[in-house]
Amino acid sequence: MEFVSIIAVLSLFVAAPAIVFSFILRLNKNRNETKKLQYQKEILELELKKEELQIKRLEAESKQYDRLINE
């Protein structure tokens, strides 16, 4: 009986740190994935702004050509 309880206590000392360590690893993995997704979002937002500026530039250029044609 006493041998079983000693084994149970020893296995608890071995298993508990492993469980905590796995939770810490999973937490770090989730944090890194969140950062990665935030960076991807920022990149997409910057690309969108770039495209919007390109459209505005093309619109201004088009107006310039329209004025030249209408003159």
Side-chain angles (χ1 to χ4, degrees), residues 49-71:
K49 285 182 182 180
K50 179 182 173 183
E51 291 297 322
E52 288 171 348
L53 290 173
Q54 177 73 4
I55 290 170
K56 286 181 182 181
R57 186 187 65 76
L58 289 172
E59 287 173 346
E61 187 177 327
S62 176
K63 286 179 185 179
Q64 216 175 17
Y65 287 130
D66 286 345
R67 275 190 238 128
L68 287 172
I69 292 171
N70 291 333
E71 289 178 356

Side-chain angles (χ1 to χ4, degrees), residues 14-71:
V14 171
I19 292 170
V20 171
F21 185 69
S22 69
F23 281 129
I24 291 171
L25 284 177
R26 189 176 306 157
L27 179 65
N28 286 337
K29 182 180 176 184
N30 289 341
R31 283 183 185 162
N32 289 338
E33 185 66 23
T34 301
K35 282 183 182 182
K36 178 183 170 186
L37 291 172
Q38 286 173 339
Y39 291 140
Q40 287 177 344
K41 178 186 171 196
E42 288 176 20
I43 289 169
L44 289 173
E45 287 173 345
L46 290 172
E47 288 176 356
L48 179 62
K49 285 182 182 180
K50 179 182 173 183
E51 291 297 322
E52 288 171 348
L53 290 173
Q54 177 73 4
I55 290 170
K56 286 181 182 181
R57 186 187 65 76
L58 289 172
E59 287 173 346
E61 187 177 327
S62 176
K63 286 179 185 179
Q64 216 175 17
Y65 287 130
D66 286 345
R67 275 190 238 128
L68 287 172
I69 292 171
N70 291 333
E71 289 178 356

